[in-house]
Amino acid sequence: MRYFAEISYKGTAYCGWQIQPNGVSVQSVMNHCLSTLIGSPIYVVGCGRTDSGVHAMKFILHFDTETEFDLERTLFKLNRMLPMDIAIRTIYPVSKEMHARFSARSRTYRYYITIEKNPLELGFVTLIFQDLNIERMKEAARIIPEYNDFEALSKASDDQKHHLVNIEEVRFIKKGSHLIFHIRANRFLRGMIRIIMGTLIQVGKGKMTVEEFRSVIESKDRKRAGAAAQAQGLYLWDISYPADL
């Protein structure tokens, strides 16, 4: 039997979603807690791979087990067992054809920045000690959906077969002292959103023009893009699946 689960987590204390030899991952914590409660070995598969320090508002995972268990009771016990920086929202059975990663139709990320120092937001937003030209950043962001090859705006990866991404939505949201970068696509490349955000911040600081931002994308040269923005401002915000699944 295959199950989907929806979780949220604060990524500060973890080396990312995926199991790593040099740190505690969200995946390893979920494997341990589910295996303990269900009473048989459980290996969870995630909808993606968030980096160290990145948060998730909505993250979907799946796991297979032939062991029968009470969904409501397990959900209750799991939330008590999990550390305070991970919460599980729901567990539900799905067909064997459903896959947390490969069945996903789109993924939405948000990146939070602020120019107002607030100690209570430490670890959740990226603080920029400089006024930003938000209109120029918006103008540059509107260029992004015109392209589908983002080699210049991603980290090199040996397992990356191509750099094609279908961008479905890009916009900035101003909310109080926060400037939120919102982006939705069918997939994202390794480090892509943090590199896009770091490059847009260069535009906002006046260190790169809008046309130079365009030429970075067209160059397919990672060296021409800005440094990756810090991890703590990034959230996996939403993930959607086809309605017929």
Side-chain angles (χ1 to χ4, degrees):
M1 189 72 181
R2 176 160 293 181
Y3 296 87
F4 264 31
E6 179 186 330
I7 66 172
S8 300
Y9 57 84
K10 176 185 176 184
T12 307
Y14 301 99
C15 63
W17 159 260
Q18 192 172 21
I19 292 174
Q20 302 288 340
N22 58 346
V24 178
S25 69
V26 179
Q27 186 181 32
S28 64
V29 172
M30 293 304 303
N31 282 345
H32 170 72
C33 292
L34 279 167
S35 298
T36 300
L37 286 176
I38 293 176
S40 62
I42 300 294
Y43 181 82
V44 300
V45 176
C47 60
R49 302 174 184 176
T50 56
D51 292 339
S52 175
V54 174
H55 315 298
M57 180 65 72
K58 181 178 180 180
F59 189 99
I60 302 296
L61 60 86
H62 81 248
F63 62 92
D64 297 327
T65 182
E66 297 305 319
T67 303
E68 294 186 3
F69 63 97
D70 184 280
L71 288 175
E72 291 297 324
R73 187 173 178 81
T74 300
L75 184 66
F76 175 77
K77 286 188 171 183
L78 194 56
N79 262 322
R80 296 193 66 179
M81 185 178 186
L82 286 167
M84 291 299 292
D85 50 12
I86 302 176
I88 184 162
R89 307 298 182 191
T90 184
I91 305 175
Y92 51 95
V94 296
S95 70
K96 274 285 189 178
E97 289 70 37
M98 285 287 283
H99 192 285
R101 180 182 176 188
F102 298 126
S103 297
R105 191 194 70 81
S106 69
R107 295 162 174 82
T108 301
Y109 280 84
R110 286 188 173 184
Y111 194 95
Y112 281 67
I113 61 176
T114 182
I115 59 171
E116 183 178 298
K117 188 176 182 180
N118 184 346
L120 299 182
E121 294 182 337
L122 183 65
F124 292 104
V125 300
T126 293
L127 175 63
I128 306 294
F129 284 102
Q130 182 177 336
D131 286 335
L132 299 172
N133 189 325
I134 297 174
E135 292 307 312
R136 287 287 177 84
M137 293 174 71
K138 288 181 178 179
E139 186 181 349
R142 286 194 290 268
I143 291 172
I144 296 172
E146 298 178 18
Y147 297 88
N148 60 13
D149 188 322
F150 294 96
E151 184 173 359
L153 297 174
S154 65
K155 291 182 181 178
S157 177
D158 292 336
D159 61 358
Q160 196 69 62
K161 296 180 181 179
H162 62 81
H163 300 89
L164 302 181
V165 177
N166 295 325
I167 303 294
E168 300 174 5
E169 182 184 17
V170 175
R171 58 192 170 99
F172 275 102
I173 304 165
K174 188 72 170 66
K175 191 173 183 180
S177 63
H178 296 149
L179 180 64
I180 306 164
F181 177 65
H182 174 101
I183 184 168
R184 185 178 75 242
N186 66 322
R187 66 192 288 260
F188 288 98
L189 307 173
R190 186 182 175 197
M192 178 176 169
I193 302 164
R194 289 171 60 191
I195 295 170
I196 288 177
M197 196 65 234
T199 310
L200 287 174
I201 289 172
Q202 292 292 90
V203 174
K205 289 180 175 181
K207 295 182 178 180
M208 179 182 292
T209 67
V210 174
E211 282 308 309
E212 284 172 340
F213 179 79
R214 180 188 293 277
S215 69
V216 167
I217 300 175
E218 293 180 350
S219 73
K220 302 182 182 181
D221 183 358
R222 169 66 186 95
K223 294 178 182 178
R224 293 187 57 185
Q230 297 175 28
Q232 68 262 25
L234 182 58
Y235 297 74
L236 173 57
W237 198 257
D238 195 12
I239 182 163
S240 67
Y241 294 86
D244 59 344
L245 292 179

